[in-house]
Amino acid sequence: KLPPLPLSRSFLAVHGLRERKDKMGRRPARCYRYQKDKPYPKSRFCRGVPDPKIRIYDVGKKRADVDDFPAVVHLVSDELEQISSEALEAARIAANKNMIKSCGKDFFHLRVRVHPFHVLRINKMLSCAGADRLQTGMRGAFGKPNGTCARVKIGQILMSIRTKEDRVDKAVEALRRAGYKFPGRQKVFVSDKWGFTRFTKEEYKKWTEEGRLISAGVHVKWISSKGPMSRHFGGQHIDLDALEKAAAEE
């Protein structure tokens, strides 16, 4: 019966085999570009997953108030594919470096919008002398965790930069350069939304003047028409009995 893989160095020494010193590099990302399997996330069943290369998703002046950066630019995926965590980290570095050089570190907030949750596998083969006597070929070919990637859809936002109106062209150029780190095709869009909020610039100004929006750091909270009336009258307590009495007297 053949021994299980991977083989330890002690096993190789006992059987008179030697391990090759020239180690191969990382498998190219083109091997994992297409979504052909189900999502395979890290779990109690899928253990030993290496940490993703990207650990920071927000750079720049990330604590800036929502009113500081009204303009926003998006890098949007135009393909159904998988993007490795190494590519996400390379794109983040490229966009961040370009924005710091052209605008300054206090005039933008960059956010990576996708996370590499999908675990990639590799069926490692022995590369030592005499390995052909020990390998099992395609028997038990379910691989071991090798890395992580993000599964993206057509039209999904990959990266976003919020900045000031006069620096939109700088953000477009930064995202264009970041797109070179990704496989496939991407498009850069200048959004009509106010920063990272869900309101357009016209809606944001309108609802702010009416006191319907409350700043919550990077985004805003929407005050609906439901709830206590005091919330819509500057925090004052409204005495409904007094209003009804005054209306009856009139």
Side-chain angles (χ1 to χ4, degrees):
K1 187 178 179 181
L2 295 175
L5 294 179
L7 301 178
S8 63
R9 292 184 178 179
S10 59
F11 179 88
L12 296 175
V14 168
H15 289 78
L17 304 175
R18 59 184 179 85
E19 187 179 12
R20 284 179 57 177
K21 296 296 182 183
D22 50 329
K23 298 249 179 133
M24 285 187 62
R26 179 176 145 261
R27 180 176 285 184
R30 63 172 176 266
C31 303
Y32 301 104
R33 178 176 169 184
Y34 300 109
Q35 297 184 19
K36 62 178 184 177
D37 294 321
K38 295 178 181 178
Y40 188 58
K42 181 179 178 180
S43 66
R44 57 180 175 153
F45 310 108
C46 174
R47 300 181 299 274
V49 179
D51 291 332
K53 287 293 184 290
I54 181 169
R55 308 297 293 175
I56 301 172
Y57 293 86
D58 288 82
V59 292
K61 195 176 180 182
K62 52 192 176 183
R63 295 187 180 275
D65 191 73
V66 65
D67 293 324
D68 295 344
F69 298 143
V72 62
V73 184
H74 301 300
L75 180 67
V76 179
S77 173
D78 204 29
E79 289 193 23
L80 180 76
E81 60 181 354
Q82 296 181 158
I83 299 178
S84 66
S85 62
E86 288 85 359
L88 291 172
E89 174 69 0
R92 181 191 68 83
I93 292 174
N96 184 41
K97 191 172 293 186
N98 186 267
M99 286 298 292
I100 290 177
K101 184 177 179 180
S102 60
C103 300
K105 61 184 178 65
D106 292 330
F107 293 94
F108 74 97
H109 174 199
L110 184 149
R111 174 174 287 175
V112 180
R113 302 281 295 273
V114 292
H115 291 245
F117 290 132
H118 182 69
V119 178
L120 304 174
R121 299 187 300 266
I122 182 172
N123 182 26
K124 275 195 174 177
M125 310 292 279
L126 281 176
S127 60
C128 56
D132 53 342
R133 296 187 292 113
L134 302 173
Q135 288 178 346
T136 57
M138 290 302 292
R139 179 185 297 174
F142 194 88
K144 299 289 189 294
N146 185 44
T148 55
C149 70
R151 295 161 65 93
V152 300
K153 298 181 290 186
I154 296 175
Q156 185 171 351
I157 298 175
L158 303 177
M159 302 172 67
S160 299
I161 298 178
R162 65 183 181 116
T163 182
K164 296 184 180 297
E165 293 286 357
D166 58 342
R167 290 175 169 83
V168 169
D169 55 340
K170 307 293 185 184
V172 170
E173 174 64 16
L175 290 182
R176 186 188 71 85
R177 296 192 180 194
Y180 288 134
K181 309 298 181 183
F182 294 138
R185 181 172 55 185
Q186 293 80 32
K187 294 180 179 179
V188 179
F189 289 95
V190 179
S191 176
D192 62 345
K193 298 290 193 292
W194 183 286
F196 289 163
T197 68
R198 59 189 174 96
F199 303 101
T200 63
K201 292 181 174 64
E202 291 76 14
E203 292 173 345
Y204 185 88
K205 293 177 182 178
K206 173 186 175 183
W207 297 126
T208 303
E209 291 175 356
E210 295 185 11
R212 300 287 293 273
L213 298 180
I214 297 178
S215 175
V218 176
H219 59 97
V220 290
K221 290 183 179 179
W222 163 256
I223 303 300
S224 67
S225 56
K226 296 182 179 180
M229 294 183 65
S230 60
R231 190 167 61 181
H232 307 292
F233 291 91
Q236 301 177 1
H237 177 69
I238 306 300
D239 191 351
L240 295 179
D241 295 334
L243 289 177
E244 292 177 358
K245 185 177 181 181
E249 291 177 354
E250 292 178 358

Short mmCIF file of all heavy atoms in Angstrom, two decimals, residues 59-80:
data_model
loop_
_atom_site.label_atom_id
_atom_site.label_comp_id
_atom_site.label_asym_id
_atom_site.label_seq_id
_atom_site.Cartn_x
_atom_site.Cartn_y
_atom_site.Cartn_z
N VAL A 59 -7.58 52.83 3.29
CA VAL A 59 -6.36 53.64 3.40
C VAL A 59 -6.71 55.09 3.11
O VAL A 59 -7.79 55.40 2.62
CB VAL A 59 -5.26 53.15 2.42
CG1 VAL A 59 -4.75 51.78 2.82
CG2 VAL A 59 -5.78 53.13 1.00
N GLY A 60 -5.76 55.98 3.40
CA GLY A 60 -6.00 57.40 3.24
C GLY A 60 -6.60 57.99 4.51
O GLY A 60 -6.40 57.49 5.62
N LYS A 61 -7.36 59.04 4.35
CA LYS A 61 -8.02 59.69 5.49
C LYS A 61 -9.37 59.00 5.72
O LYS A 61 -10.43 59.52 5.38
CB LYS A 61 -8.20 61.19 5.22
CG LYS A 61 -8.55 62.00 6.46
CD LYS A 61 -8.62 63.48 6.16
CE LYS A 61 -8.96 64.27 7.41
NZ LYS A 61 -9.09 65.72 7.13
N LYS A 62 -9.30 57.80 6.33
CA LYS A 62 -10.51 56.97 6.44
C LYS A 62 -11.47 57.45 7.51
O LYS A 62 -12.62 57.02 7.54
CB LYS A 62 -10.11 55.53 6.70
CG LYS A 62 -9.18 55.33 7.86
CD LYS A 62 -8.62 53.92 7.87
CE LYS A 62 -7.60 53.73 8.97
NZ LYS A 62 -7.00 52.39 8.94
N ARG A 63 -11.02 58.33 8.41
CA ARG A 63 -11.91 58.85 9.45
C ARG A 63 -12.52 60.20 9.06
O ARG A 63 -13.14 60.86 9.90
CB ARG A 63 -11.17 58.98 10.77
CG ARG A 63 -10.72 57.64 11.35
CD ARG A 63 -10.14 57.80 12.73
NE ARG A 63 -9.71 56.52 13.28
CZ ARG A 63 -10.49 55.67 13.91
NH1 ARG A 63 -11.77 55.95 14.05
NH2 ARG A 63 -10.02 54.53 14.38
N ALA A 64 -12.34 60.63 7.83
CA ALA A 64 -12.89 61.90 7.38
C ALA A 64 -14.42 61.87 7.43
O ALA A 64 -15.04 60.84 7.13
CB ALA A 64 -12.41 62.22 5.97
N ASP A 65 -15.02 62.99 7.79
CA ASP A 65 -16.48 63.07 7.88
C ASP A 65 -17.10 62.96 6.49
O ASP A 65 -16.45 63.22 5.46
CB ASP A 65 -16.88 64.39 8.53
CG ASP A 65 -18.36 64.41 8.89
OD1 ASP A 65 -18.75 63.72 9.85
OD2 ASP A 65 -19.12 65.10 8.19
N VAL A 66 -18.35 62.58 6.47
CA VAL A 66 -19.04 62.36 5.20
C VAL A 66 -19.11 63.63 4.37
O VAL A 66 -19.15 63.59 3.13
CB VAL A 66 -20.44 61.78 5.47
CG1 VAL A 66 -21.31 62.79 6.21
CG2 VAL A 66 -21.11 61.34 4.19
N ASP A 67 -19.10 64.81 5.02
CA ASP A 67 -19.18 66.07 4.29
C ASP A 67 -17.86 66.48 3.67
O ASP A 67 -17.83 67.37 2.80
CB ASP A 67 -19.67 67.20 5.22
CG ASP A 67 -21.11 66.99 5.66
OD1 ASP A 67 -21.89 66.49 4.84
OD2 ASP A 67 -21.44 67.31 6.82
N ASP A 68 -16.75 65.86 4.08
CA ASP A 68 -15.43 66.28 3.58
C ASP A 68 -15.18 65.83 2.15
O ASP A 68 -14.54 66.54 1.37
CB ASP A 68 -14.32 65.73 4.49
CG ASP A 68 -14.38 66.32 5.89
OD1 ASP A 68 -15.05 67.35 6.06
OD2 ASP A 68 -13.76 65.74 6.80
N PHE A 69 -15.67 64.64 1.78
CA PHE A 69 -15.40 64.07 0.46
C PHE A 69 -16.71 63.78 -0.25
O PHE A 69 -17.27 62.68 -0.15
CB PHE A 69 -14.58 62.78 0.59
CG PHE A 69 -13.22 62.98 1.21
CD1 PHE A 69 -12.70 62.03 2.07
CD2 PHE A 69 -12.48 64.12 0.96
CE1 PHE A 69 -11.46 62.20 2.64
CE2 PHE A 69 -11.23 64.30 1.53
CZ PHE A 69 -10.72 63.34 2.38
N PRO A 70 -17.24 64.73 -1.02
CA PRO A 70 -18.54 64.50 -1.70
C PRO A 70 -18.45 63.66 -2.96
O PRO A 70 -19.43 63.04 -3.36
CB PRO A 70 -19.01 65.92 -2.02
CG PRO A 70 -17.75 66.72 -2.13
CD PRO A 70 -16.77 66.11 -1.16
N ALA A 71 -17.28 63.62 -3.62
CA ALA A 71 -17.15 62.89 -4.88
C ALA A 71 -16.68 61.47 -4.63
O ALA A 71 -15.97 61.19 -3.66
CB ALA A 71 -16.17 63.61 -5.80
N VAL A 72 -17.08 60.55 -5.51
CA VAL A 72 -16.68 59.14 -5.37
C VAL A 72 -16.51 58.53 -6.76
O VAL A 72 -17.27 58.81 -7.68
CB VAL A 72 -17.70 58.33 -4.53
CG1 VAL A 72 -19.06 58.31 -5.20
CG2 VAL A 72 -17.22 56.92 -4.28
N VAL A 73 -15.46 57.70 -6.89
CA VAL A 73 -15.14 57.01 -8.15
C VAL A 73 -15.03 55.52 -7.85
O VAL A 73 -14.47 55.12 -6.83
CB VAL A 73 -13.82 57.54 -8.76
CG1 VAL A 73 -13.56 56.90 -10.10
CG2 VAL A 73 -13.86 59.05 -8.89
N HIS A 74 -15.58 54.69 -8.75
CA HIS A 74 -15.59 53.23 -8.55
C HIS A 74 -14.82 52.52 -9.66
O HIS A 74 -14.87 52.94 -10.83
CB HIS A 74 -17.03 52.69 -8.55
CG HIS A 74 -17.91 53.29 -7.50
ND1 HIS A 74 -17.64 53.20 -6.15
CD2 HIS A 74 -19.07 53.99 -7.60
CE1 HIS A 74 -18.60 53.81 -5.47
NE2 HIS A 74 -19.47 54.30 -6.32
N LEU A 75 -14.15 51.43 -9.29
CA LEU A 75 -13.58 50.49 -10.24
C LEU A 75 -14.49 49.26 -10.26
O LEU A 75 -14.63 48.58 -9.24
CB LEU A 75 -12.15 50.10 -9.86
CG LEU A 75 -11.44 49.11 -10.80
CD1 LEU A 75 -11.18 49.76 -12.15
CD2 LEU A 75 -10.14 48.62 -10.20
N VAL A 76 -15.12 48.99 -11.40
CA VAL A 76 -16.18 47.99 -11.51
C VAL A 76 -15.70 46.83 -12.38
O VAL A 76 -15.11 47.03 -13.44
CB VAL A 76 -17.46 48.61 -12.10
CG1 VAL A 76 -18.55 47.56 -12.24
CG2 VAL A 76 -17.94 49.76 -11.23
N SER A 77 -15.96 45.61 -11.91
CA SER A 77 -15.60 44.42 -12.68
C SER A 77 -16.54 44.24 -13.86
O SER A 77 -17.75 44.45 -13.74
CB SER A 77 -15.63 43.18 -11.78
OG SER A 77 -15.45 42.01 -12.55
N ASP A 78 -15.99 43.84 -15.00
CA ASP A 78 -16.78 43.59 -16.19
C ASP A 78 -16.77 42.11 -16.57
O ASP A 78 -17.12 41.75 -17.69
CB ASP A 78 -16.25 44.43 -17.35
CG ASP A 78 -17.32 44.70 -18.41
OD1 ASP A 78 -18.50 44.74 -18.04
OD2 ASP A 78 -16.99 44.85 -19.59
N GLU A 79 -16.34 41.25 -15.61
CA GLU A 79 -16.28 39.82 -15.88
C GLU A 79 -16.69 39.04 -14.64
O GLU A 79 -16.55 39.53 -13.52
CB GLU A 79 -14.87 39.40 -16.29
CG GLU A 79 -14.45 39.88 -17.67
CD GLU A 79 -13.19 39.19 -18.16
OE1 GLU A 79 -12.91 38.08 -17.67
OE2 GLU A 79 -12.51 39.77 -19.02
N LEU A 80 -17.15 37.81 -14.88
CA LEU A 80 -17.42 36.86 -13.80
C LEU A 80 -16.14 36.04 -13.61
O LEU A 80 -15.80 35.21 -14.44
CB LEU A 80 -18.59 35.95 -14.19
CG LEU A 80 -18.98 34.89 -13.16
CD1 LEU A 80 -19.75 35.52 -12.02
CD2 LEU A 80 -19.81 33.79 -13.81
#
